[in-house]
Amino acid sequence: MIRAADLVGTHDILLVTLDSLRYDVASAALAAGQTPTLSRLLPGGAWERRHAPGSFTYAAHQAIFAGFLPTPAAPGPHQRHFALSFEGSRTTGPDTAVFDAPDIVSGLAGRGYHTLCIGGVGFFNQRSALGRVLPSLFAESHWRPAFGVQAGDSTAAQVGLAVERIAALPPERRLFLFINISATHPPTRPYRPGASRESPETQAAALAYADSALPPLFTALGRRAPTLCILCADHGTAFGEDGYHGHRLAHPTVWDVPYAEFLVNAFIPEAT
């Protein structure tokens, strides 16, 4: 059992959001052997089904940065890993790392963490006042077109910068690293040649690509310090089920998201 209250200050923390990734797509890709990196990392080799804290990127990440990670799908209450001080919380307990702060990013900064954001989708692109809201929470934030939804090799570019910045940080300084993976956000058709529309199959192909780009990230973290890793989607997306398309709507394809948490002490990628 992971007790975040005991890990803050001694462990680096990695939070990865696989933007728009559906639980059913992630689970099917895992079962089909399309995501071997994640297969090696996920506890029990499986994703946990959880409920998204919001139905689109901005709302979901505002909730996540307030300590509301995707909620376990089973009836609760469920104690949270991170929370902000406020009266009456029924999901804050002895295992919860509680911060007297407006968000967990500044809360971790107050505990000595360097906070680093590597953006992906438009809400992190810093090109507008809205696109600067979420990145501004962090001491260091990065976005470039190579990280965005139109870039076919976005995850490799994001991971490459993450590895570079990890190497530049003094080893005694704790790190909170957040990466918003854009590859799984539509459009995902380019990852499945010949596809004419967005579908679970095109998103699975995008996830397989992202999976192939992740090993250097976990190798860099494993060489640096023990790390609490949280991987999840911020929300899902509909591909025509019951007539629905996209997200920012209430449908199981949007609310059911994959989630995983685990500790990394060392990660050695498979030989290629």
Side-chain angles (χ1 to χ4, degrees):
M1 180 179 177
I2 292 175
R3 300 187 72 250
D6 292 341
L7 303 182
V8 170
T10 61
H11 286 57
D12 287 348
I13 300 172
L14 170 70
L15 172 61
V16 174
T17 54
L18 293 146
D19 208 290
S20 306
L21 180 61
R22 288 166 41 153
Y23 171 76
D24 60 346
V25 170
S27 294
L30 194 67
Q34 294 177 274
T35 54
T37 302
L38 291 170
S39 179
R40 296 176 62 202
L41 289 167
L42 301 185
W47 288 105
E48 178 187 352
R49 181 171 70 92
R50 290 201 174 194
H51 292 153
S55 63
F56 69 107
T57 299
Y58 185 78
H61 282 84
Q62 284 283 21
I64 288 170
F65 293 145
F68 298 97
L69 293 165
T71 306
H78 302 282
Q79 186 177 154
R80 290 181 286 136
H81 283 321
F82 308 104
L84 308 175
S85 298
F86 69 97
E87 296 180 2
S89 173
R90 297 184 178 182
T91 54
T92 301
D95 297 339
T96 306
V98 181
F99 306 103
D100 186 13
D103 54 80
I104 66 171
V105 185
S106 57
L108 286 166
R111 302 279 187 94
Y113 279 75
H114 178 65
T115 58
L116 169 61
C117 168
I118 298 181
V121 304
F123 287 112
F124 296 94
N125 67 15
Q126 306 181 50
R127 289 180 163 180
S128 66
L130 181 59
R132 290 189 288 272
V133 171
L134 297 173
S136 70
L137 300 176
F138 294 79
E140 179 182 352
S141 60
H142 299 271
W143 187 89
R144 59 188 65 160
F147 299 166
V149 297
Q150 301 296 334
D153 207 17
S154 58
T155 309
Q158 291 176 296
V159 167
L161 179 62
V163 170
E164 176 185 317
R165 299 309 301 148
I166 290 168
L169 193 67
E172 67 276 6
R173 183 79 184 274
R174 297 282 58 80
L175 170 67
F176 173 48
L177 170 60
F178 166 74
I179 305 178
N180 171 247
I181 299 292
S182 65
T184 47
H185 185 288
T188 56
R189 294 189 309 278
Y191 295 101
R192 189 176 173 90
S196 59
R197 61 183 179 85
E198 297 291 307
S199 68
E201 291 74 25
T202 65
Q203 189 176 65
L207 177 60
Y209 155 70
D211 181 271
S212 71
L214 288 175
L217 172 64
F218 290 99
T219 300
L221 289 169
R223 288 171 176 166
R224 185 176 187 279
T227 305
L228 167 59
C229 301
I230 298 172
L231 277 59
C232 62
D234 52 345
H235 57 79
T237 197
F239 296 119
E241 294 84 0
D242 300 316
Y244 290 101
H245 294 269
H247 36 269
R248 203 164 55 83
L249 52 91
H251 190 272
T253 57
V254 176
W255 290 115
D256 287 351
V257 295
Y259 178 92
E261 59 187 37
F262 50 90
L263 301 178
V264 164
N265 293 309
F267 179 81
I268 306 301
E270 292 182 344
T272 58

